[in-house]
Structures are given as structure tokens and as C-alpha cells.
Amino acid sequence: VSSYLPIRQIKTGVIYTTDHRYVKLIEILPINFLLRSSSEQRNIIMSFMSYLKIAPVKIQFKVVSKKADISEYIEKIKEEAEREPDHRVKLLQEDYAKLIERLGRKEAITRRFFMVFEYQSYNNNKNPKEREVLLYMRSVVQTAKKYLSQCGNVVLEYENETLEERTKKVARYYQRENGRESISHIPVTELIAPETMDMRHRSHLVIDGMYYSYLLIPSHKYRTRVPAGWLSLLINAGEGIDVDVFFFRQDKSKSMERIGRRIRLNRSKIKDTYDTNTDFDDLSESIHAGYYLKRGLSGSEDFYYMSTLITITGYSAKEVEWRVREMTKLLNSQDIGVISCMFREENAFLSSLPLLCLDKKLYERSKRNVLTSGVASCYPFTSYEMSDKDGIMMGVNKANNSLVIVDIFNTKIYKNANIAILGTSGAGKTFTMQL
């Protein structure tokens, strides 16, 4: 599988792809967007819109949701219980660990948000020097940090992450199969590649025992009007739902020319149709949409194509099929249509990798024209979690099913350890305090 992945090298935080592109990946911490007031939401969207104007031409936003890993947290509680001299306190700690384990198995989901962009030369240089690529990447990351901080987001960048356990496992395998001298020739893709991939099924893939299926939102199946942060519908859909949104900025003058040409063509067609025909309505809507885009482009907005790919994972073929049906129902209830990537699962898998490489045929089926304001309304960093490393578990966040674990004594995050507990009579304020 390592030779199948379209990656040549990973060096100094940059991915070198087999099609000779340079790709950078950054992680972005989300904010509690949905509980903000409408004026605050508007300010966040406007700040995000100002970033988009200077952002790279091609961007991929990747949202990954999976079961929260609480093993380290439970291990720490058990270690503390072993050191506890009081038998009664030990019983409480063991009970607490069981509660977290039970909630973690049933409900706890964690989400991570990534932005992917690629190197773009200003002078169409196809063989740039490594220093030139690194300077460009560093500049884009600094700009993202500066502008996204105005939205309240924090940008994380990992320069040198270690994969110690994985490296040892791969080295042992290479030594056993090819001899000790082969260890120095292990390709970097071995450290990130899955062990097995099964592509023999029309509606799903099987990767290391996990089942993957893909859905695409077709060009004409988006809602014409959406609220700010509407992607939270997909992001908070639950465990096993990953979302990839691609944005490709187009040349403004060429777009204006194409739109003008399309308006003229549709106006000449509409003269030959009666207003009782269905064609008349379609042409009329197309003309209105053309004028809307033209007005936006005449102002300060840019023209984009966007595509949305949804990855659905599960532990069996039946579970994946069930999730696909439920996801389709959820989106249909919001007037958003989806289609399955039947017989194109492999193309969808490669497109979902954080390499900003959407398959051409999938792109043609899914591209939707949108202005900068429309792109800004897709603000994806909306699923906030409160999960501190050494915190106290308060419960489950109803908005996105994440565990709320807060370390109120950590002065690096919080000013002091004071908390306020609000609730109606008999809701359990005193009992919570006693716990």
C-alpha cells in the first residue's frame, strides 16, 4: 500500500507528492460558534471573509470525527487509585473510571480540523528550490495565524512529530522480510500507510478492517440560501462522518467574461420559449443568478468553485450502509441532495487524502459556483470541545457528544479555579458540588 499512496517524501513539514506538488497541512482549533450571538457570528464570518481574499488559490478543509481516546485519562485515574491510602476514596475513583469508560464507549466523539494548501509559484516556476517552497509555506501559515486569530481560532503547526511505535513495527517487518540492511531504505509512506486495502466492492472500501463509503453533494443539490456556519450540520452529524470541502478560486476577469456570455445566450433562448414552459423558469433563474454573480464580481468578491466530499466509516458493511442512509435522510431534510460514489470509491479515497487532489470526474460532478461571501458562510471550525488533559469530567456536551473534562486549576488556560453552577430547583447543583 505504501507504494500506492501518491506521496514521494515528507520533509520539514512539507509533503512532496508524486505529481510534483508541495503540500502543507495545518491544524486549526475550533470555537464555540453556534452559541455566539448573531452579531458575533457576523463578525467572525466577516473576519474569515477577509482572510479568504488573501488565502491560497486552492484550499481543502478537512474535518475528522472519531471516538475519543480516553485510555490515557482512565490509566491516570487508576494509577492515582493505586496510590490512594483511603479505601473509600479508592472505591469512588474506580467508580469514576467506570463512568468515564461507559460514556466514552457510548457517546464520546472528538473532532479535528485541518486546512490543506499547496505551493504556488508567482512566476510559473515548475522546479522551485526547496528554500523558496519553505518560505512560501511559512508565509501562508503566518498569514493564517494572524487572520484566523481574529475569528478566535488558534493555528497549530507540527514541525517534527515522532511515530516511535509505528517506526519500530515497520523496522521489525522490513528486517524479517528483507534483512537488516533494508531498514535504511524504508520509504516514508510506510510510516503512514495502512497495512491492507480491499477495493473489490462497488459501494465501499475496506482499509485495515474498517469500512469506508463516500458521498458527494452534486452541483445542483445545494441550498440556494444558507445560514452562517451551515457546515456544522455535517460536522456534528456524529461518529464516523468526515467532511472534505474544496475551494478553487477562479480568474476574476475570465469568470466575468464567461458569465456575461452565458447571460446573453440565455436571454436569446428565453425569447423563443413561452412563460408556461418549465424551460422558461430554468432560464429565468439562470439569468438572475448570472446577474447576482456579476454584481458580486463587480464589487470586492471573488469567484470560486466548491466541492463537498463526505467520508462515512464503520466496523461492518451493514453499519456503513445504515450510516449512508441516515446521512442521506439528514441532508434531504435540509434540502441538500447527495449521491453515492458507486464504482468510484477508489477515486473518492484518494481525493479525501489531505493532499488537495480532487479527482477530475468527481470535481466535474460536484463543482458549485460561489462568491467569497458564500465561501465564508461555509466557516467549518464550529464544533467546540472542552477536554483538558488532567481535568474533571462534568458530563457530555449535548451539541456535539464530546466529553466535557475541565481542569479548573490550570492557570495557563483559566484565570482562576472559580466556577458558577446554574440550574432550576432540584436540578442537582448541590449534588454536583458534593461530587
Side-chain angles (χ1 to χ4, degrees):
V1 177
S2 66
S3 58
Y4 167 75
L5 293 179
I7 297 171
R8 275 190 298 138
Q9 180 63 280
I10 300 173
K11 193 176 175 185
T12 57
V14 178
I15 301 168
Y16 295 62
T17 65
T18 51
D19 58 349
H20 303 287
R21 294 181 302 115
Y22 304 91
V23 178
K24 178 80 174 168
L25 181 75
I26 57 174
E27 185 171 1
I28 297 167
L29 297 182
I31 58 167
N32 203 348
F33 180 81
L34 299 177
L35 295 181
R36 303 289 176 101
S37 67
S38 54
S39 60
E40 283 180 311
Q41 287 185 356
R42 180 176 169 76
N43 290 338
I44 290 165
I45 294 298
M46 293 307 288
S47 299
F48 188 53
M49 192 171 166
S50 63
Y51 169 65
L52 290 169
K53 290 176 183 176
I54 54 166
V57 174
K58 298 178 183 178
I59 306 175
Q60 176 185 356
F61 291 114
K62 186 168 189 65
V63 184
V64 180
S65 68
K66 59 179 181 178
K67 278 279 186 193
D69 184 12
I70 52 168
S71 54
E72 192 181 332
Y73 189 69
I74 291 168
E75 199 62 43
K76 198 160 192 175
I77 295 166
K78 286 178 179 175
E79 282 174 18
E80 286 171 0
E82 283 173 15
R83 292 196 299 268
E84 178 57 54
D86 192 321
H87 176 67
R88 290 166 300 177
V89 175
K90 189 178 273 193
L91 284 174
L92 285 171
Q93 286 175 317
E94 286 170 3
D95 193 42
Y96 177 52
K98 283 175 187 172
L99 171 69
I100 295 169
E101 207 164 355
R102 190 169 70 248
L103 285 172
R105 252 198 324 269
K106 282 184 183 175
E107 301 183 74
I109 298 166
T110 185
R111 292 168 183 83
R112 295 179 73 183
F113 299 79
F114 300 93
M115 186 177 97
V116 188
F117 57 90
E118 68 178 37
Y119 169 77
Q120 279 162 333
S121 174
Y122 298 112
N123 53 6
N124 293 322
N125 182 10
K126 290 184 179 178
N127 296 305
K129 292 180 179 176
E130 193 175 295
R131 179 177 164 75
E132 189 183 327
V133 173
L134 289 175
L135 285 172
Y136 174 85
M137 297 300 191
R138 201 171 295 145
S139 167
V140 173
V141 171
Q142 289 305 319
T143 305
K145 281 182 179 177
K146 182 182 171 184
Y147 278 83
L148 290 174
S149 66
Q150 293 173 14
C151 302
N153 299 110
V154 175
V155 173
L156 302 176
E157 191 185 1
Y158 305 101
E159 288 293 343
N160 294 301
E161 282 294 294
T162 58
L163 299 165
E164 195 174 339
E165 286 301 313
R166 176 72 180 177
T167 306
K168 285 177 183 175
K169 187 179 178 182
V170 171
R172 282 197 299 270
Y173 174 81
Y174 263 71
Q175 187 172 342
R176 188 176 70 245
E177 296 292 321
N178 308 310
R180 189 171 181 79
E181 63 280 357
S182 67
I183 293 174
S184 58
H185 302 291
I186 295 173
V188 71
T189 46
E190 283 284 16
L191 304 180
I192 55 174
E195 289 181 23
T196 59
M197 282 184 73
D198 181 358
M199 300 180 184
R200 293 172 296 176
H201 312 278
R202 61 176 185 166
S203 59
H204 62 262
L205 301 176
V206 186
I207 304 171
D208 284 350
M210 285 289 287
Y211 290 74
Y212 291 74
S213 191
Y214 298 89
L215 296 174
L216 203 63
I217 302 180
S219 311
H220 59 287
K221 290 291 185 179
Y222 287 86
R223 282 169 60 179
T224 49
R225 288 179 178 273
V226 290
W230 67 274
L231 273 179
S232 59
L233 172 75
L234 302 175
I235 292 161
N236 293 321
E239 182 202 352
I241 309 293
D242 300 345
V243 185
D244 289 276
V245 190
F246 301 84
F247 295 107
F248 306 98
R249 192 162 68 228
Q250 306 298 306
D251 184 270
K252 204 169 181 175
S253 57
K254 285 181 182 176
S255 299
M256 285 274 276
E257 194 180 311
R258 280 204 309 271
I259 292 163
R261 200 161 53 239
R262 175 62 65 181
I263 290 170
R264 289 193 296 275
L265 182 65
N266 286 340
R267 284 183 68 174
S268 65
K269 280 182 182 178
I270 207 167
K271 288 174 185 174
D272 302 325
T273 42
Y274 295 104
D275 57 4
T276 51
N277 289 7
T278 52
D279 289 351
F280 182 90
D281 297 330
D282 293 339
L283 288 167
S284 179
E285 279 180 28
S286 182
I287 291 165
H288 284 305
Y291 279 121
Y292 168 77
L293 292 170
K294 214 163 183 294
R295 279 196 303 273
L297 291 172
S298 300
S300 59
E301 301 207 46
D302 287 306
F303 186 87
Y304 288 81
Y305 282 121
M306 75 172 281
S307 295
T308 309
L309 182 67
I310 302 163
T311 306
I312 296 176
T313 58
Y315 296 98
S316 67
K318 280 187 178 178
E319 187 181 0
V320 164
E321 283 169 20
W322 175 77
R323 280 188 180 157
V324 166
R325 284 197 301 271
E326 291 302 307
M327 196 65 194
T328 306
K329 280 184 208 169
L330 173 68
L331 292 172
N332 285 345
S333 71
Q334 300 296 317
D335 297 327
I336 300 170
V338 287
I339 53 170
S340 170
C341 295
M342 192 83 75
F343 295 109
R344 294 202 177 276
E345 299 290 330
E346 185 185 346
N347 306 62
F349 163 72
L350 291 170
S351 298
S352 70
L353 295 175
L355 299 174
L356 193 52
C357 187
L358 180 60
D359 180 74
K360 283 182 181 178
K361 288 185 178 175
L362 295 180
Y363 170 67
E364 289 302 325
R365 288 194 76 179
S366 65
K367 67 174 182 178
R368 168 76 159 89
N369 57 40
V370 64
L371 296 177
T372 312
S373 54
V375 177
S377 74
C378 299
Y379 178 75
F381 316 114
T382 56
S383 183
Y384 186 72
E385 294 176 16
M386 290 182 75
S387 186
D388 302 332
K389 195 177 179 183
D390 300 316
I392 305 157
M393 197 196 72
M394 301 289 185
V396 180
N397 183 346
K398 283 186 178 179
N400 57 23
N401 285 348
S402 62
L403 287 182
V404 179
I405 301 173
V406 189
D407 181 6
I408 57 175
F409 304 106
N410 186 347
T411 51
K412 288 180 182 176
I413 305 173
Y414 311 107
K415 289 183 179 178
N416 54 52
N418 298 335
I419 61 173
I421 299 177
L422 309 176
T424 57
S425 299
K429 298 185 294 296
T430 311
F431 186 67
T432 304
M433 283 301 294
Q434 287 171 341
L435 287 175

